[in-house]
Amino acid sequence: MPASLDPFYSRPIDVHRWSDHPTVGEIVEEIWGNHFGDMGANRPGPKPRTPFKDQLKVLLLDCYVAWLEDPELSIGVSMDVNAYDTGSRYNALHISKHITRVVNRLVEVGLLDIAKGSYGGEGAGGNRTTRVRPSDQLQALFGGNPVPRDDIYRIDSEECLILRGRDGKPEEYEDTEATNRAREDLRAYNRVLANHFIDLSTAEDTRIVDGERTTWIGRHHQFVRRVFSRGDWGCNGRFYGGWWQGLSSDDRANILINDQPTVEVDFNALHVQILSAEAGVELDGDPYELPEGTVPGTPAPLQRKLVKRLILTALNASNQTSAFGSFRDDWPQGHLGKTMTNKDLGNLM
């Protein structure tokens, strides 16, 4: 692993990148001609649904996008051949197991730096997918042949209606009238977002760093998905993907749409209020404000923040242990929330 490659500063590979820019084609042809002449030639067995060269193109495009955002950013790529289902609705470009051969070849010829994945067993905390990042050689090629970011886009057939199983992984499903309608509504919403300029008046960069969390802003980070949970269309269904969702309340106040200021309508304790209404209970005041000292030695604002985060995490968790683990994961190192034990959180719950 290169000394400067941090495998934890990464994001998953995005297999829905595409571009028709001629320079992209030239780069792909150059790399293919120099290093991939033997791949796919006279190969026995069925050909992949997406040719090797196109899979190379998708990988290079995502590496290029990551490099534009931050040269230190790496992308996670599973090297497990079973991780790629060309018939999956979540794999619209039909990326196959052969992309692992493409990755290995790019590493062999010095175009990708790699931090190999680790596997310590099912559910082990040290499990990590392989990380790759453009090497100095590939970065020089990118820099000498710049492609405008706006000429790299997401393919229209990318699935935006996600159903996750109880293990948190996307599940295949049969479409119904309801899913087709929900998908069309969401695609229409994404078209609206794509046709408007959403920005942050206070932003001096394309990213906002808040502790350990980095939020990339701009029109390339506003594709919205709906995610349902536990294999149940009645569970969750929230909207994810818009860069504004990762902002603090202070930053959200500075959002502009087409250079016009916005106003955020805030419903106090919305989730708790909905549950209370379903139970026939009317709440007075702020339900997140518990008596002073409920969390010993904690100022009232911080206590409220802890209570709110715990309740909202619990509402989306399958059990209490999972809720407590997810709660701790949400806080940066050194924060009180990171150190609270299951007993502490059980008492607070």
Side-chain angles (χ1 to χ4, degrees), residues 13-303:
I13 186 174
D14 188 334
V15 297
H16 295 101
R17 307 274 190 202
W18 198 251
S19 176
D20 297 311
H21 194 282
T23 300
V24 172
E26 292 168 5
I27 292 174
V28 172
E29 288 295 337
E30 177 181 344
I31 293 176
W32 181 266
N34 289 339
H35 307 295
F36 288 87
D38 63 323
M39 190 167 289
N42 302 317
R43 178 181 170 273
K47 293 183 178 180
R49 294 178 66 177
T50 297
F52 285 104
K53 190 185 295 185
D54 285 349
Q55 298 197 47
L56 170 64
K57 181 176 181 176
V58 170
L59 177 59
L60 289 174
L61 282 171
D62 201 37
C63 286
Y64 180 68
V65 168
W67 175 74
L68 284 177
E69 291 182 339
D70 188 337
E72 298 299 316
L73 182 66
S74 58
I75 59 177
V77 183
S78 176
M79 300 302 282
D80 179 0
V81 296
N82 297 315
Y84 300 94
D85 179 0
T86 58
S88 171
R89 65 170 58 245
Y90 305 112
N91 184 5
L93 281 174
H94 312 300
I95 300 302
S96 73
K97 63 184 180 182
H98 300 297
I99 197 171
T100 60
R101 296 179 62 192
V102 175
V103 170
N104 284 329
R105 180 62 58 83
L106 291 172
V107 172
E108 288 171 10
V109 300
L111 290 174
L112 285 182
D113 294 334
I114 186 170
K116 292 185 177 180
S118 60
Y119 183 75
E122 186 69 28
N127 290 349
R128 173 173 52 77
T129 58
T130 292
R131 303 310 206 258
V132 296
R133 188 188 63 186
S135 67
D136 291 343
Q137 181 182 346
L138 185 55
Q139 290 183 40
L141 181 59
F142 287 160
N145 300 271
V147 176
R149 179 63 181 86
D150 287 348
D151 285 325
I152 302 172
Y153 54 86
R154 314 188 70 82
I155 60 169
D156 292 337
S157 55
E158 179 180 358
E159 182 59 77
C160 56
L161 201 64
I162 315 298
L163 179 65
R164 295 191 182 278
R166 289 189 173 273
D167 59 0
K169 298 178 180 178
E171 283 189 352
E172 302 298 327
Y173 58 87
E174 294 293 329
D175 273 317
T176 65
E177 183 179 344
T179 61
N180 286 332
R181 184 172 58 249
R183 183 181 298 105
E184 287 308 308
D185 286 347
L186 189 49
R187 284 178 173 170
Y189 177 56
N190 275 316
R191 287 193 293 271
V192 170
L193 292 177
N195 288 324
H196 294 276
F197 181 63
I198 308 173
D199 196 13
L200 203 59
S201 63
T202 54
E204 297 180 358
D205 196 357
T206 56
R207 61 180 176 175
I208 302 294
V209 179
D210 183 7
E212 294 185 348
R213 175 181 295 178
T214 298
T215 300
W216 301 95
I217 68 174
R219 63 187 300 270
H220 303 294
H221 299 278
Q222 56 192 46
F223 178 80
V224 174
R225 308 161 185 83
R226 286 192 72 185
V227 181
F228 294 81
S229 304
R230 303 175 201 166
D232 184 350
W233 293 111
C235 185
N236 203 339
R238 289 184 178 181
F239 295 76
Y240 295 92
W243 58 263
W244 45 88
Q245 293 179 295
L247 300 180
S248 67
S249 57
D250 290 339
D251 283 328
R252 288 198 304 270
N254 298 308
I255 291 176
L256 302 176
I257 299 179
N258 297 335
D259 293 325
Q260 298 298 312
T262 59
V263 175
E264 180 179 16
V265 180
D266 186 20
F267 297 92
N268 186 44
L270 179 63
H271 297 84
V272 177
Q273 295 285 1
I274 290 174
L275 288 176
S276 301
E278 288 182 346
V281 176
E282 185 174 345
L283 295 180
D284 292 325
D286 184 347
Y288 298 131
E289 287 188 356
L290 300 186
E292 184 177 349
T294 300
V295 179
T298 304
L302 176 57
Q303 176 177 286

Side-chain angles (χ1 to χ4, degrees), residues 210-213 328-339:
D210 183 7
E212 294 185 348
R213 175 181 295 178
R328 283 188 289 267
D329 287 344
D330 278 345
W331 303 101
Q333 291 294 331
H335 193 282
L336 173 63
K338 199 78 166 179
T339 65

